[in-house]
Amino acid sequence: SPSSECFFFVCCFLSEKCIISGPSARSEVTPTSVNYHFTRQCNYKCGFCFHTAKTSFVLPVEEAKRGLRLLREAGMEKINFSGGEPFLQDRGAFLGSLVQFCKQDLHLPSVSIVSNGSLIRESWFQKYGEFLDILAVSCDSFDEDTNQLIGRAQGRKSHLQNLYRIRSWCQQYRVAFKINSVVNAFNVDEDMSEHIVQLDPVRWKVFQCLLIDGENAGQSALREARRFVVSDRQFEDFLDRHSGVACLVPESNEKMRNSYLILDEYMRFLDCRGGGKQPSRSILDVGVKAAICFSGFDEKMFLRRGGKYVWSKADMKLDW
C-alpha cells in the first residue's frame, strides 16, 4: 500500500560518505531501514499503483540473499518486503525463505512485509511466522464495491474477509499487524474509524495518492492515476475525520516522495526526485556505498514522517 503498496520502497539512514546526486549535499548514510520490491507482478489492479508490472524479473533467491547480506553489512536494521504482491512468487515460498534468512542468518531486529493479503495462507504463518515482526495489509475501503472500483480485488473475492482472517492469524502466530491505506477520489469521504479500531493495528499508515511518471502517469505508464488524485485539503479533511484513531500515521505527497529508499527487483536504488524513478546501478554489481549515492534519499523527511519507530515485535508491548 500503498499496495505494491502496490509498492515498494527502501527507507534508509545513511554511515558511509557519498555525494547524493543533484541538489542534496554530502551526507553520511547507513541503510537502516530498507524496502525491497523484489517483484513487480501482482494479482490486483489498483488504479493508482505506483510500482507497476513493467517487468516479470525476480532475482534468484541466492542472489537476493547476497544483496541482503551486503545491506546488513552496510548497517541495515529493518527490511520490508513489498511488490507487486510478494506472496505471488512461488506461492509465498520465495518470500518465506528471505524472511527466515533475514531473521535467522542476518539477525535483523525487524523483518516486515506489505501485502494485499489475498494469497496469504495459515500454513505460511505456521512455517515462517516466528521470523516475521510486522505484516502490513493494504486496505483502502471497508466497502466491497469501493474496493472493486479501485481495483483492490481479484474477481468477486472478499478483500475484507481476508483482512479480518489475517488479523486473527497475526494474533495467533504473534506477528504485529499493520494496515496501509491510500486516500484517493473513491474513498476520500469514507469514515473508517470503527473498523480500524476494531482491527486494532499497531500502525495505520495513511498515504495520499501519489503520481509517479512512468508508473501511474505519463505516456509510458501502465496506469493512469489522475482520476484517483485528491487535493491536499481533501487529504487533510480525511485525517481530521480520523483524528481520534491513535494508531494513524499520515503521509502526504510531500512526506512520502523522497523519504523512502526504494530498492527494485534488480536491487537498484530508485531516485524519485524528478517525478519518476531513476535507477542506480545494482548493489550486486557496485556495492551499497556506490549505489546509495544515487538514491535521492531525504533523511530529514524520513525522520520527520516517523520512519524510525519501535519495529521489532520483541520490543512491542503486545497482548498476544
Side-chain angles (χ1 to χ4, degrees), residues 211-266:
L211 296 179
I212 296 288
D213 189 58
E215 297 283 358
N216 61 12
Q219 290 186 345
S220 63
L222 297 183
R223 297 283 194 278
E224 177 45 70
R226 295 189 188 282
R227 67 193 180 100
F228 290 89
V229 170
V230 296
S231 67
D232 292 347
R233 180 67 265 170
Q234 287 176 301
F235 183 64
E236 289 299 327
D237 287 345
F238 183 94
L239 298 180
D240 290 344
R241 190 180 314 124
H242 296 88
S243 59
V245 181
C247 61
L248 190 155
V249 181
E251 288 195 18
S252 63
N253 288 174
E254 179 192 11
K255 287 184 177 179
M256 182 179 172
R257 187 180 297 275
N258 302 317
S259 66
Y260 289 87
L261 279 165
I262 308 169
L263 199 65
D264 74 359
E265 65 272 26
Y266 300 99

Side-chain angles (χ1 to χ4, degrees), residues 42-84:
C42 189
N43 59 324
Y44 277 17
K45 291 181 171 59
C46 302
F48 48 70
C49 177
F50 50 90
H51 201 73
T52 55
K54 303 191 80 170
T55 79
S56 59
F57 181 80
V58 177
L59 278 169
V61 68
E62 292 305 318
E63 280 293 274
K65 288 179 179 179
R66 181 167 74 88
L68 291 167
R69 187 178 294 279
L70 290 174
L71 288 163
R72 180 58 167 151
E73 290 169 354
M76 179 174 69
E77 296 179 14
K78 180 182 186 294
I79 183 71
N80 179 58
F81 295 105
S82 187

Side-chain angles (χ1 to χ4, degrees), residues 85-148:
E85 171 47 48
F87 281 89
L88 197 57
Q89 184 71 16
D90 298 333
R91 298 185 177 184
F94 183 92
L95 173 63
S97 175
L98 296 184
V99 166
Q100 183 172 354
F101 173 75
C102 285
K103 183 60 74 170
Q104 206 168 55
D105 293 68
L106 300 185
H107 306 290
L108 279 179
S110 183
V111 180
S112 67
I113 298 168
V114 175
S115 168
N116 64 36
S118 64
L119 302 175
I120 301 176
R121 302 291 178 262
E122 185 176 9
S123 57
W124 193 94
F125 279 95
Q126 291 169 343
K127 188 171 184 178
Y128 300 110
E130 65 180 292
F131 309 113
L132 183 63
D133 291 276
I134 303 168
L135 175 60
V137 179
S138 301
C139 181
D140 306 312
S141 177
F142 289 92
D143 180 277
E144 293 284 19
D145 290 337
T146 301
N147 284 321
Q148 288 285 337

Side-chain angles (χ1 to χ4, degrees), residues 150-192:
I150 290 170
R152 183 80 73 188
Q154 184 177 26
R156 300 303 301 181
K157 295 178 182 177
S158 173
H159 184 72
L160 299 179
Q161 285 182 8
N162 277 335
L163 181 69
Y164 277 87
R165 186 183 301 118
I166 292 165
R167 176 65 183 100
S168 176
W169 287 337
C170 284
Q171 179 83 13
Q172 181 178 351
Y173 294 99
R174 297 175 177 259
V175 175
F177 178 71
K178 178 183 170 188
I179 296 175
N180 287 357
S181 301
V182 178
V183 178
N184 62 85
F186 293 96
N187 68 2
V188 67
D189 295 320
E190 187 172 339
D191 189 339
M192 305 182 188

